[in-house]
Amino acid sequence: MVRHVFLLLACQLAAQDGASLYKQHCANCHDAGVDRVPPLAALKAMPAMAIRGSLESGKMRQQGAGLSAVDRDRVAAFLGTAAKSEDPIAYCKDAPVWKSQSNWNGWSPGFTNNRLQPNPGWDAAQIPRLQLKWAFALGQGAIARGQPSVVDGKLFIGAQSGAVYAIHPATGCVHWTFQAAAQIRSGVVAGDGRVYFGDGKANVYAVDSASGKKAWTAKADEHPQALITGTVQLHKDVLYVPVASFEEGIGGQPKYPCCTFRGSLLALDARTGKTLWKAYTIADPPQPTAKNSVGTQLYGPSGAAVWSTPTIDESTGRIYIATGDNYSDPPTATSDSVIALNLKSGRVVWVKQLTANDVFTMGSNAKGPDHDLGQSPILVNLPNGKRALVIGQKSGVAHALDPDAAGKILWQTRVGDGGMLGGIQWGSAADASSMYVAVSDIGTARIAGRSSLDPKKGGGLFALQLTTGEKFWTAPPARCPENRVGCSPGHSAAVTVTPGAVFAGSLDGHIRAFATSNGQVIWDFDTAREFTATNGTTANGGSIDGPGPVIANGMLFTNSGYGVWGGIPGNVLLAFSIDGK
């Protein structure tokens, strides 16, 4: 009994110390309603282990570097939920053979990144009959962020814990698990008996798709803040790796020597992991520029991260990437741009900048509008016989560029207000006639004395004609229920199109299907609730953000539970089929 009382007092003291440390080192941003910074309520929904990991090797590792290991533990104990036993794993035993009529491999079923599934395994008239088939828990307190791939009878997905699962698509049982060194934010791509993916420390992995055993690992970038958030692209035994970084999030701190990261695209031999070439989005390395008001040496140019999956143009032997903003002065002509490179050498063929002079880091010294291009360019054939690259931007503008005329602008259409969490975020989709664009435009509001997502700001889905950019139809955002904490009508997540329907998840927790003919909702499922998971535990759905729905062989798969910016937290992968069969 005395021991129990001592332990209880020790935990209480640690929490008190953690509260003081939080107030001293963290509250200035997390309690102030700073855009793109999770509020205290969102941190309280995360596991202490995840917060400690973020301070040690994740997004907050720069802040954590100023704390001792004991103090990092104290902050994590104050903020996070108590540790529990790990979620059980239901490994497959005598699982039925899942015969694939269609796959979804990587960010999109094809190299053009149109997020079109032409063979969903159902007729459009059957979509209202979609029902939940199974749910899978992605880990205690995890953030549902990675996108699944469904290839040759297996579903592959990475989780915030760094675990990668090979799951039976029809039953939700697990064939194998693999543990990466850091969180998995991106999707997985499969080919030649292996699966490939990157992690939050810019490591790239090749893993045997049958056994889950590691074949090789490679380091995409040595910068301490580098990470991989875009799904890698596999083409003819070459793995193309987009490289981004966390430096945008910490560069605004007065004592941080901002900034030294340059975005890049890396080409690896898929058989060995050997580097074939590396193309930086900023040609020259950063150099010392000036000192800030507290005497910290600054560097530049920097930034222009590649957040999304590259797009391959097989007809011309080119690969297209989209870049984010600069982190520090001087601005470059390659930030907020679409860049065409030679597929074999990485040589730059042309650059089309869509927003100039966008220099941005989170913090008081933010100057630029933060109008990254966070989604993949989509290569389409136009009805008039021409081609186009269509892409949405955080400015709220959708663009069409001519890939055969150095990125000449064909049309531009504004669909949103734009902003740091606004405009067009993670992914648009396209079929033969239309581009489908989801609008984020997330807002914040003071609710019960705290910063939270504005339940009345953001959202909407647009169908734009590929040839002209004219708005074909608009689907307005849904209204948030008054009692749903963390609800936003924003559509930040990527969308997916099939013949007759476009599917979009929302920060309000719903996933919906809209008719491609007129934008009317033809199916709606509320994921923001508790589920009994196939791996013997419970899981929770919540806000849907980041990647979009994956559709293959008559099933739809989606993550639910992305509460980082104050949305509804959760940790579940959901599988749907017609009538739940």
Side-chain angles (χ1 to χ4, degrees), residues 402-495:
D402 188 339
D404 303 311
K408 176 185 176 181
I409 293 175
L410 299 175
W411 53 257
Q412 295 175 307
T413 301
R414 176 168 292 281
V415 295
D417 296 333
M420 286 183 284
L421 285 175
I424 310 166
Q425 291 255 67
W426 288 110
S428 301
D431 57 21
S433 61
S434 300
M435 176 187 184
Y436 302 95
V437 180
V439 174
S440 176
D441 279 357
I442 300 169
T444 57
R446 300 295 293 184
I447 299 175
R450 295 184 180 276
S451 177
S452 182
L453 293 183
D454 189 337
K456 298 180 180 180
K457 178 72 169 63
L461 186 68
F462 293 79
L464 309 180
Q465 292 184 358
L466 285 179
T467 304
T468 64
E470 183 180 353
K471 296 174 185 177
F472 178 53
W473 53 253
T474 300
R479 298 182 62 180
C480 282
E482 292 185 3
N483 61 346
R484 178 159 291 184
V485 178
C487 181
S488 166
H491 286 98
S492 181
V495 299

Side-chain angles (χ1 to χ4, degrees), residues 12 209-210 271 302 394 401 515 578:
Q12 290 174 339
S209 60
R271 295 162 294 187
S302 63
K394 285 171 60 180
L401 312 178
I578 302 301

Side-chain angles (χ1 to χ4, degrees), residues 101-191:
Q101 301 298 318
S102 60
N103 290 330
W104 184 294
N105 193 9
W107 180 249
S108 177
F111 297 126
T112 61
N113 284 328
N114 60 6
R115 298 191 60 83
L116 166 67
Q117 176 54 275
N119 302 303
W122 59 58
D123 295 327
Q126 295 176 292
I127 292 173
R129 292 165 48 197
L130 282 170
Q131 294 182 21
L132 183 69
K133 186 174 178 65
W134 53 259
F136 182 85
L138 293 168
Q140 297 169 15
I143 296 170
R145 178 63 176 79
Q147 178 176 282
S149 282
V150 183
V151 183
D152 297 334
K154 288 188 176 72
L155 179 150
F156 304 100
I157 187 169
Q160 184 193 21
S161 64
V164 176
Y165 302 96
I167 299 174
H168 191 280
T171 66
C173 66
V174 176
H175 292 288
W176 52 256
T177 61
F178 174 87
Q179 185 62 44
Q183 62 178 305
I184 309 296
R185 293 167 53 90
S186 64
V188 177
V189 69

Side-chain angles (χ1 to χ4, degrees), residues 227-554:
L227 78 154
I228 298 166
T229 190
T231 302
V232 297
Q233 184 76 277
L234 179 65
H235 180 258
K236 294 184 177 180
D237 292 328
V238 179
L239 194 69
Y240 298 93
V241 183
V243 185
S245 83
F246 285 130
E247 197 173 33
E248 183 180 18
I250 63 175
Q253 298 178 17
K255 294 184 178 180
Y256 182 79
C258 179
C259 283
T260 55
F261 171 81
R262 291 182 291 162
S264 64
L265 181 68
L266 180 68
L268 302 176
D269 185 322
R271 295 162 294 187
T272 64
K274 179 183 177 181
T275 298
L276 301 176
W277 54 259
K278 186 172 187 177
Y280 286 99
T281 58
I282 299 174
D284 298 322
Q287 301 295 323
T289 53
K291 291 186 178 181
N292 64 12
S293 59
V294 299
T296 304
Q297 179 65 60
L298 304 180
Y299 298 83
S302 63
V306 185
W307 296 100
S308 57
T309 300
T311 300
I312 291 177
D313 185 347
E314 292 186 300
S315 67
T316 62
R318 295 174 183 171
I319 185 167
Y320 305 106
I321 58 173
T323 65
D325 50 44
N326 289 125
Y327 300 164
S328 58
D329 286 321
T332 68
T334 53
S335 61
D336 295 357
S337 299
V338 176
I339 303 177
L341 305 99
N342 182 280
L343 197 59
K344 292 184 178 181
S345 67
R347 178 182 61 85
V348 173
V349 179
W350 55 257
V351 177
K352 184 61 180 181
Q353 187 171 54
L354 297 174
T355 299
N357 302 312
D358 186 5
V359 180
F360 175 86
T361 53
M362 293 168 60
S364 58
N365 67 336
K367 297 184 294 183
D370 188 27
H371 284 172
D372 295 58
L373 290 163
Q375 59 181 248
S376 301
I378 301 173
L379 182 62
V380 298
N381 294 313
L382 300 177
N384 61 10
K386 300 287 188 178
R387 305 192 311 157
L389 285 168
V390 294
I391 189 169
Q393 188 177 2
K394 285 171 60 180
S395 61
V397 176
H399 311 266
L401 312 178
D402 188 339
D404 303 311
K408 176 185 176 181
I409 293 175
L410 299 175
W411 53 257
Q412 295 175 307
T413 301
R414 176 168 292 281
V415 295
D417 296 333
M420 286 183 284
L421 285 175
I424 310 166
Q425 291 255 67
W426 288 110
S428 301
D431 57 21
S433 61
S434 300
M435 176 187 184
Y436 302 95
V437 180
V439 174
S440 176
D441 279 357
I442 300 169
T444 57
R446 300 295 293 184
I447 299 175
R450 295 184 180 276
S451 177
S452 182
L453 293 183
D454 189 337
K456 298 180 180 180
K457 178 72 169 63
L461 186 68
F462 293 79
L464 309 180
Q465 292 184 358
L466 285 179
T467 304
T468 64
E470 183 180 353
K471 296 174 185 177
F472 178 53
W473 53 253
T474 300
R479 298 182 62 180
C480 282
E482 292 185 3
N483 61 346
R484 178 159 291 184
V485 178
C487 181
S488 166
H491 286 98
S492 181
V495 299
T496 298
V497 65
T498 65
V502 56
F503 293 81
S506 170
L507 289 162
D508 67 1
H510 287 251
I511 181 169
R512 301 176 178 91
F514 302 80
T516 55
S517 59
N518 56 19
Q520 294 297 308
V521 175
I522 57 176
W523 176 72
D524 187 343
F525 186 90
D526 186 358
T527 71
R529 60 180 179 88
E530 186 176 270
F531 298 89
T532 299
T534 59
N535 43 337
T537 185
T538 57
N540 292 289
S543 295
I544 300 174
D545 200 352
V550 164
I551 297 169
N553 210 33

Side-chain angles (χ1 to χ4, degrees), residues 45-62:
M46 298 180 185
M49 179 179 67
I51 294 173
R52 186 174 64 248
S54 180
L55 289 168
E56 290 174 348
S57 60
K59 192 172 185 178
M60 294 291 105
R61 55 182 177 250
Q62 184 68 28

